[in-house]
Amino acid sequence: EGYIRLNGRALRLDNDAGRGLPAADVDARVDLARTSATLNGKLAMGATASVTVKGTAPLGPDGALDLRTQGFADLAILNPLLTQQGRRGAGRLTLDLSVAVSAASPRLAGSVALAGGSIQDFAQGIHLTDINGRITGDQDTLKLTALKAKARQGTIAASGTVSPFAPGIPVDLAIVAKNARPLASDLLSADMDADMTVKGSVLQQLAMSASQATSKGN
C-alpha cells in the first residue's frame, strides 16, 4: 500500500539527435492497494504532443488490467531522430484507446487515427504522402479501416483485422495499389497495380495471395 509520484520538467534526451526534440513534462502517480495499482499519468511536449494514461493494473499474476490512453502527437517531432537515418515523417496521431484484460476475455475499444501523414526514405526512394487511416478496437480485435496513402501519381489502400490477444496473433489484411509508385530513386522506380491479401499468423506463418499484381519499373 502507498503511492509513487513522479514529476519531471523540461526533460530531454542526452544525445545529439535527442536535443532536437521538444522538452517533455511528465506527471504521474501510482496508488498501490494490496493487489492492484491505480495509474494516472501524463506526458506533454509543448503543443506537439500530449498523452494521458489512466486506469488500474494488477500487482500479481491474477487480477484485471483496465487502462485508457488519450491524446495526440505531431509525428514531425521524431524528425531529429529520423533524419540521422535518412528519413522524414509527418502527420497527426490521435489516440483514444482502452484496453481491458481479465480472466474472462480481453476487450479493446476506441481508436487510433492518423491524419495528413507522410513518410520519406531518401536512401530507398520511398515516399508516401496524404496518409490517412483509423484503427478501431472491437472486443479482442483491432480493425484497420480506410487506410490510404498517395504514392506519387497513384494510391495504396489497406484494410483488415489483427487479433493481438489470440494465439499466434491472427492477421487478415487486404492491400490495393492503383498506379502507385512507392519507390523512386536513381537506381530503381516502380509503378504498381495490385490487389493482394495477407492472411495467417504473425508468430507462425503468413500467406500472401494476389488476384492482380503488375508492376513496371527501371
Side-chain angles (χ1 to χ4, degrees):
E1 295 182 334
Y3 71 89
I4 302 169
R5 186 169 60 193
L6 171 66
N7 302 100
R9 294 291 178 268
L11 303 177
R12 295 183 181 273
L13 293 177
D14 190 19
N15 55 46
D16 291 339
R19 293 188 189 99
L21 297 174
D25 294 335
V26 177
D27 294 284
R29 177 167 174 140
V30 181
D31 289 288
L32 309 173
R34 296 181 181 270
T35 60
S36 66
T38 301
L39 313 177
N40 192 337
K42 181 177 181 179
L43 169 68
M45 302 178 75
T48 59
S50 178
V51 178
T52 61
V53 179
K54 297 181 180 181
T56 58
L59 295 178
D62 300 322
L65 174 73
D66 191 353
L67 295 177
R68 183 172 185 178
T69 300
Q70 294 178 298
F72 69 91
D74 181 348
L75 298 184
I77 63 175
L78 299 177
N79 284 332
L81 302 177
L82 296 175
T83 50
Q84 289 191 339
Q85 305 169 13
R87 301 184 180 99
R88 288 188 65 81
R92 183 180 177 89
L93 192 69
T94 303
L95 304 171
D96 188 358
L97 188 66
S98 63
V99 180
V101 180
S102 65
S105 64
R107 187 179 72 255
L108 298 168
S111 65
V112 179
L114 175 63
S118 68
I119 184 168
Q120 186 168 13
D121 188 314
F122 297 98
Q124 303 298 325
I126 298 172
H127 193 193
L128 299 175
T129 60
D130 290 340
I131 306 172
N132 297 280
R134 180 181 296 271
I135 298 174
T136 58
D138 184 6
Q139 296 301 321
D140 62 346
T141 301
L142 291 173
K143 294 183 176 181
L144 176 62
T145 58
L147 177 62
K148 192 172 184 179
K150 287 185 178 180
R152 299 317 197 275
Q153 71 277 13
T155 60
I156 298 176
S159 60
T161 60
V162 179
S163 301
F165 296 106
I169 310 181
V171 172
D172 187 352
L173 298 175
I175 303 170
V176 177
K178 295 182 179 180
N179 197 29
R181 184 181 291 179
L183 293 173
S185 68
D186 294 338
L187 298 177
L188 175 67
S189 64
D191 296 333
M192 299 175 55
D193 287 297
D195 190 349
M196 302 179 294
T197 60
V198 179
K199 295 183 179 182
S201 167
V202 172
L203 301 182
Q204 296 173 6
Q205 185 176 6
L206 290 174
M208 178 180 293
S209 61
S211 58
Q212 175 188 357
T214 60
S215 65
K216 57 183 179 179
N218 59 282

